[in-house]
Amino acid sequence: MAADRTASGALARAMRQTIRPDREDVFGKLRYRPTPKQQLFHEATEDEVLYAGGRGGGKTKGLVMDGGRLGVHFPGIRVLVIRRSYPQLRATVVGELAKVGFCKRLGAQWSSTEMELRFPNGSLLKCGYVDALSDVAQFQGTEWQVIMIDELGLMIPEALPILRETLRSSNPAIPVRWLRATANPGGPSHAFVRSHFINITDDGRKVVTDEQGRTTRFIRSSVYDNEKHVGRRYIAILKAIEDPARR
C-alpha cells in the first residue's frame, strides 16, 4: 500500500513537470491544439482517468496525442493502447496516428506489422485489441506503465482486471502505473464505467481515493467542446436523431 502511494506521488510530480514550458513541445510539433477539455485530460495526474461523453468530443484524438506525449517525456515508458476489435483499432487509434504522420516529427518509427510506435529514447506505444477473452492472453506476462483503452464501455468486462494486472514497472526510474480511457454511453462494460467513474465521482465533481491510495477522475466530453473541428453540420446530424436517448 505504501509502495502504491509512493508510485502515485512520483507520477503526480512527474506529470506536473510535463506542462513546464522548458519541456519539448510535443503537441506543437504534431500541430495539435487541445480543446480546453482535452487539455484537462492531458494535465490530469490521477491514477485512473476516464474522458467520456457523446460523439464528436475529440476523445480518441486526445488519447492518442497523450500517448505520443508520454513517449517523449518519459524515456523507456511502455504504453499499451487497446480497442475492442482490430477494424475499430485501425479506423480510430491508428487513423489518428496516421493523421500526425505516425509521430515522425518526434523521431518515432511506426511498424504496421507489429502495430507499434518506437521512440528514439526507448519508449514504446503498442496498439492492440481485445475482441474475445482469449485475446487478453497475448498481454499476460508483459508489463506496461500506462494502459489506454479507447471506448472502455465496449470492452469485455472480464478482460479489464486481467489488463490491470499488467500495469507494473520493473524499472524504478519509471514508477508509472496508470489507466487512461475514453467511452461513449452503452456497451458490455457500461455498468462498470458508470459505477467506477461517473457515479463515484459525482459526475466528475470530485476526485476519489480508494483504500489503496489509488485516485480516480472523470472528465465529461461534449461535441460542443470540439465544435471547431467537427463542424456545425455534424452537430446538426446529431441533433436530428429522433430517439432522445441516443441523441
Side-chain angles (χ1 to χ4, degrees):
M1 186 179 298
D4 287 340
R5 294 195 185 98
T6 300
S8 296
L11 171 60
R13 289 191 295 272
M15 288 305 299
R16 292 189 194 102
Q17 294 176 355
T18 67
I19 57 175
R20 282 168 33 191
D22 59 332
R23 298 297 293 265
E24 184 173 354
D25 184 10
V26 172
F27 293 163
K29 287 186 175 182
L30 296 179
R31 299 171 186 171
Y32 163 62
R33 294 184 178 180
T35 66
K37 283 292 182 69
Q38 287 171 331
Q39 189 63 32
L40 281 178
F41 180 67
H42 297 314
E43 294 177 357
T45 59
E46 290 76 18
D47 298 299
E48 298 188 346
V49 179
L50 176 70
Y51 183 29
R55 292 181 179 178
K59 300 184 295 298
T60 302
K61 181 77 170 182
L63 190 77
V64 172
M65 294 299 97
D66 211 51
R69 179 178 66 99
L70 292 170
V72 172
H73 287 173
F74 294 89
I77 198 170
R78 291 170 58 85
V79 180
L80 177 62
V81 186
I82 295 287
R83 184 78 194 218
R84 172 65 187 265
S85 72
Y86 179 75
Q88 291 173 357
L89 182 71
R90 295 283 303 183
T92 57
V93 173
V94 178
E96 290 294 347
L97 284 172
K99 290 178 184 178
V100 293
F102 294 101
C103 298
K104 287 183 180 179
R105 298 187 191 97
L106 305 177
Q109 293 187 336
W110 169 254
S111 170
S112 57
T113 303
E114 300 296 330
M115 297 288 284
E116 61 185 30
L117 202 62
R118 290 191 175 272
F119 294 83
N121 62 5
S123 295
L124 171 70
L125 188 149
K126 173 78 172 178
C127 298
Y129 65 93
V130 177
D131 198 15
L133 192 56
S134 58
D135 292 325
V136 185
Q138 64 185 304
F139 304 115
Q140 288 181 306
T142 62
E143 70 171 46
W144 305 92
Q145 286 75 62
V146 181
I147 292 181
M148 296 182 162
I149 302 179
D150 192 32
E151 292 295 350
L152 178 60
L154 298 180
M155 293 297 295
I156 304 167
E158 296 82 2
L160 299 179
I162 301 175
L163 288 172
R164 258 183 173 173
E165 291 169 4
T166 67
L167 277 170
R168 58 183 182 272
S169 178
S170 58
N171 184 349
I174 312 176
V176 184
R177 283 171 289 177
W178 210 26
L179 175 68
R180 289 293 181 267
T182 69
N184 284 328
S189 289
H190 175 78
F192 169 80
V193 169
R194 177 161 289 281
S195 64
H196 187 76
F197 287 99
I198 301 175
N199 293 344
I200 198 172
T201 65
D202 192 18
D203 201 38
R205 294 181 181 87
K206 62 183 180 181
V207 172
V208 175
T209 303
D210 66 14
E211 64 277 3
Q212 295 179 334
R214 186 170 52 202
T215 51
T216 300
R217 182 178 181 183
F218 170 57
I219 300 173
R220 182 170 289 283
S221 168
S222 166
V223 67
Y224 296 103
D225 301 327
N226 199 33
E227 185 173 359
K228 179 180 178 181
H229 295 98
V230 300
R232 294 181 179 179
R233 181 173 296 181
Y234 180 71
I235 293 177
I237 291 173
L238 296 182
K239 283 183 175 181
I241 296 174
E242 294 185 2
D243 182 349
R246 288 190 60 239
R247 184 171 63 249

